[in-house]
């Protein structure tokens, strides 16, 4: 018996720049047909580069090559070529250099001293940290990020894997991948300096407010089944623009049999209600969609819904976006070369309730038709489900919103290959930072989380 599933296709977003409306804003910027939607207010900006005093020659040369190419551009690329910061964005980077001592157990203190010393004299600080990963809660990367948010310091952290990629790409003469890396770095820096490269041509569905819920569990068990968690809620409007954040420390129960997070008791439920109420002040009369990932038990869905309705929301949907997908459509992409799906393909496993949405893969653009996705290894659709309430339906508009939020900021976390929407990615990043330092406060704008 064969299984037949009807595949449908969502329209992909069109972006507005200064001088054009396009599917592919990077191609438009690189060809000089378009300019950024909003330029940086200064024609020249001061950027201080902080790096360890003692680096091996290869690291030092690669970092300087990266920064030089950031300013001057990359040669040998025909399409989407990075032409240099001033050429693309109209702003000159004036680079200064300083070193910090990496000896001792806690070299982060030395970086923070340098931030205090130089932050007022520069518009942005680029910090090279020879860390193998950014993901460890309370680790050096997140300590520096937290300090920058508290002190309103604009920074761009580069860690060792980025340098390793540059070494690999240049060594293999793979300038296309190096060029992609440079675009991601340059766009991140440009937005942190106050520039806006592009926006959606039109707003998303009739939803007024998107709320994203993410939770980070603290390392270590507090006792029995109880663990402390940092819950973060972030609000976005229907243009995908960041509005506000709130976070709180709660006690959760991890239900081993179900693999879900639940709140431990009445006191913690009250804390969660208060947390949601804080950010829900602006939902009166509005249509609200809550995006969250796996691991939340039904009681959290009920509490979320009750609080938002009690605050006057016109309608509320709680939608789960699967963080990891066990489903692989093709194990070998060579065999699937004639069957790659378009970006935005979706199908319903259960009408109005559960859908599969294809968001992943690097995009290939064509002049007169929507982009196609080119997966590198395996095609992994994201599973999307309506969790609460049961009397509403998961619609095509809900799926389109997720797709558009996934593609809105392609300079965030290498997003051409990132599968979940930007609101969940940034709320998760914020939860990681808060779990590393609870005194971090609310970020002034979303770029502090890049």
């Amino acid at each position: 018996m064969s299984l037949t599933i009807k595949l449908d296709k969502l329209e992909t977003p069109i972006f507005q720049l200064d001088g054009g409306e396009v599917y592919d804003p990077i191609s438009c910027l690189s060809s000089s047909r378009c300019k950024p939607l909003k330029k940086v207010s200064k024609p020249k900006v001061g950027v201080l580069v902080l790096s360890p005093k003692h680096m091996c020659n290869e690291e030092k040369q690669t970092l300087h090559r990266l920064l030089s190419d950031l300013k001057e551009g990359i040669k040998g690329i025909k399409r989407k070529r990075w032409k240099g910061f001033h050429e693309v964005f109209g702003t000159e980077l004036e680079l200064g250099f300083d070193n910090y001592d990496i000896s001792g157990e806690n070299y982060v203190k030395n970086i923070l001293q340098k931030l205090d010393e130089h932050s007022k004299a520069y518009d942005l600080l680029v910090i090279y940290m020879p860390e193998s990963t950014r993901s460890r809660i309370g680790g050096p990367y997140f300590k520096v990020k937290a300090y920058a948010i508290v002190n309103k310091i604009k920074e761009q952290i580069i860690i060792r894997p980025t340098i390793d990629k540059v070494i690999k790409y240049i060594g293999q003469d793979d300038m296309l991948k190096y060029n992609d890396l440079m675009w991601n770095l340059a766009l991140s820096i440009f937005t942190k300096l106050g520039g806006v490269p592009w926006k959606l041509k039109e707003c998303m569905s009739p939803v007024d407010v998107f709320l994203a819920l993410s939770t980070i569990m603290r390392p270590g068990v507090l006792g029995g089944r109880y663990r402390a968690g940092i819950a973060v809620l972030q609000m976005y409007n229907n243009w995908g623009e960041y509005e506000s954040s709130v976070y709180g420390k709660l006690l959760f129960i991890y239900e081993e049999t179900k693999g879900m997070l639940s709140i431990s008791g009445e006191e913690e439920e009250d804390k969660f209600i208060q947390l949601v109420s804080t950010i829900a002040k602006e939902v009166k009369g509005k249509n609200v969609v809550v995006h969250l990932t796996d691991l939340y038990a039904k009681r959290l869905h009920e509490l979320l819904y009750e609080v938002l309705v009690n605050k006057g929301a016109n309608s509320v949907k709680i939608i789960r976006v699967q963080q990891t997908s066990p489903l692989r459509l093709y194990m070998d992409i060579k065999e699937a070369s004639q069957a790659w799906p378009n970006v935005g393909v979706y199908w319903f496993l259960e009408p109005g309730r559960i859908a599969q949405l294809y968001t992943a893969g690097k995009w290939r653009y064509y002049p007169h038709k929507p982009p196609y996705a080119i997966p590198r290894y395996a095609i992994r659709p994201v599973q999307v489900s309506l969790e609460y309430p049961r009397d509403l339906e998961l619609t095509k508009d809900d799926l389109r919103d997720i797709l558009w939020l996934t593609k809105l900021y392609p300079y965030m976390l290498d997003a051409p290959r990132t599968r979940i929407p930007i609101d969940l990615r940034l709320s998760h990043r914020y939860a990681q930072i808060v779990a590393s330092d609870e005194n971090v406060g609310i970020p002034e704008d979303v770029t502090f989380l890049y």
Side-chain angles (χ1 to χ4, degrees):
M1 184 178 71
S2 62
L3 175 65
T4 302
I5 298 177
K6 183 179 182 295
L7 299 182
D8 291 303
K9 173 76 168 60
L10 298 166
E11 60 270 33
T12 45
I14 299 175
F15 298 101
Q16 178 74 52
L17 292 88
D18 181 6
E21 297 173 356
V22 294
Y23 285 115
D24 183 3
I26 291 180
S27 283
C28 199
L29 288 172
S30 67
S31 67
S32 301
R33 290 185 292 114
C34 302
K35 297 295 181 185
L37 194 64
K38 176 188 173 186
K39 293 184 178 181
V40 177
S41 58
K42 296 180 180 180
K44 293 183 179 181
V45 294
V47 178
L48 179 68
V49 181
L50 288 176
S51 58
K53 281 183 181 177
H54 305 293
M55 299 170 62
C56 70
N57 286 334
E58 186 178 42
E59 270 185 294
K60 188 181 297 184
Q61 291 171 6
T62 304
L63 180 62
H64 280 271
R65 166 74 182 268
L66 182 69
L67 296 169
S68 174
D69 289 345
L70 175 68
K71 279 194 67 175
E72 306 300 332
I74 298 173
K75 295 183 173 141
I77 304 291
K78 292 183 179 179
R79 193 166 175 272
K80 291 191 184 180
R81 178 193 157 201
W82 170 247
K83 295 182 177 180
F85 206 90
H86 183 266
E87 177 73 18
V88 175
F89 298 127
T91 298
E92 189 71 37
L93 299 181
E94 294 186 327
L95 300 180
F97 296 86
D98 198 1
N99 302 120
Y100 61 87
D101 188 0
I102 200 170
S103 62
E105 292 183 3
N106 189 7
Y107 74 91
V108 171
K109 288 183 179 179
N110 301 328
I111 295 177
L112 302 186
Q113 288 174 358
K114 290 292 183 178
L115 295 185
D116 283 338
E117 183 181 338
H118 294 296
S119 60
K120 292 182 179 178
Y122 291 89
D123 299 287
L124 180 83
L125 285 88
V126 174
I127 309 159
Y128 173 57
M129 301 178 68
E131 292 289 317
S132 59
T133 179
R134 65 164 70 94
S135 62
R136 181 163 58 89
I137 303 301
Y141 176 88
F142 287 115
K143 284 183 178 178
V144 174
K145 293 292 291 186
Y147 188 85
I149 293 175
V150 170
N151 294 280
K152 300 181 181 179
I153 298 170
K154 291 291 186 178
E155 45 65 38
Q156 174 69 48
I157 298 177
I158 297 173
I159 56 176
R160 177 70 204 200
T162 301
I163 297 299
D164 290 339
K165 285 181 183 178
V166 175
I167 293 170
K168 176 183 174 182
Y169 297 156
I170 293 174
Q172 296 177 349
D173 198 26
D174 192 345
M175 301 311 289
L176 288 174
K177 288 183 180 177
Y178 181 45
N179 193 68
D180 286 346
L181 182 150
M182 189 63 70
W183 270 105
N184 281 336
L185 175 63
L187 282 162
S188 182
I189 288 174
F190 176 67
T191 54
K192 287 175 181 176
L193 290 169
V196 179
W198 55 75
K199 71 171 185 178
L200 291 173
K201 179 189 173 184
E202 58 185 46
C203 66
M204 291 179 279
S205 68
V207 174
D208 301 300
V209 172
F210 291 94
L211 284 180
L213 171 63
S214 290
T215 302
I216 290 292
M217 301 305 294
R218 284 184 172 283
V221 178
L222 296 181
R225 296 182 301 155
Y226 297 89
R227 297 184 65 189
I230 299 296
V232 161
L233 278 161
Q234 285 192 321
M235 182 181 291
Y236 293 76
N237 63 23
N238 63 354
W239 288 93
E241 297 165 335
Y242 169 76
E243 301 260 328
S244 59
S245 297
V246 66
Y247 67 85
K249 178 181 176 182
L250 301 164
L251 289 180
F252 290 89
I253 301 173
Y254 182 73
E255 300 179 356
E256 296 285 354
T257 55
K258 298 180 181 178
M260 290 184 174
L261 291 179
S262 185
I263 294 179
S264 63
E266 187 175 330
E267 182 180 348
E268 302 310 321
E269 284 194 4
D270 289 343
K271 288 182 183 179
F272 188 68
I273 291 169
Q274 185 178 0
L275 177 69
V276 179
S277 299
T278 303
I279 204 169
K281 294 175 181 176
E282 306 299 324
V283 303
K284 187 174 181 180
K286 295 181 179 179
N287 300 316
V288 181
V289 165
V290 181
H291 286 156
L292 42 73
T293 52
D294 311 339
L295 297 183
Y296 295 103
K298 182 180 177 182
R299 182 57 185 150
L300 275 88
H301 302 152
E302 293 172 345
L303 283 174
L304 265 172
Y305 181 83
E306 289 169 10
V307 174
L308 294 172
V309 169
N310 289 340
K311 288 293 181 179
N314 183 52
S315 69
V316 179
K317 281 184 179 180
I318 298 176
I319 296 174
R320 179 179 65 84
V321 183
Q322 186 181 43
Q323 204 161 15
T324 57
S325 172
L327 177 60
R328 298 185 181 206
L329 298 187
Y330 304 103
M331 296 302 295
D332 184 348
I333 63 170
K334 292 180 182 178
E335 297 176 2
S337 60
Q338 302 302 314
W340 286 338
N342 304 153
V343 169
V345 164
Y346 70 96
W347 60 95
F348 278 96
L349 298 178
E350 182 181 333
R353 184 64 48 188
I354 304 173
Q356 298 277 356
L357 171 64
Y358 183 66
T359 65
K362 188 167 181 172
W363 290 19
R364 175 176 288 169
Y365 292 90
Y366 299 91
H368 304 297
K369 59 183 178 180
Y372 285 71
I374 308 173
R376 294 180 65 182
Y377 302 107
I379 300 170
R380 291 174 176 262
V382 175
Q383 185 163 300
V384 181
S385 60
L386 179 65
E387 296 297 314
Y388 203 85
R390 300 293 294 183
D391 58 344
L392 297 180
E393 288 194 342
L394 184 69
T395 67
K396 175 182 174 180
D397 282 346
D398 295 324
L399 299 177
R400 190 185 71 164
D401 292 341
I402 289 170
L403 176 69
W404 285 21
L405 283 168
T406 301
K407 303 306 177 188
L408 186 55
Y409 299 120
Y411 42 88
M412 171 59 189
L413 298 180
D414 200 21
R417 286 166 288 280
T418 301
R419 303 167 58 252
I420 64 173
I422 188 68
D423 57 346
L424 283 173
R425 276 181 275 149
L426 285 176
S427 61
H428 183 76
R429 168 63 67 90
Y430 187 33
Q432 289 176 309
I433 295 170
V434 173
S436 301
D437 182 354
E438 284 185 51
N439 299 313
V440 73
I442 304 300
E444 211 171 56
D445 65 67
V446 76
T447 64
F448 278 102
L449 304 179
Y450 293 173

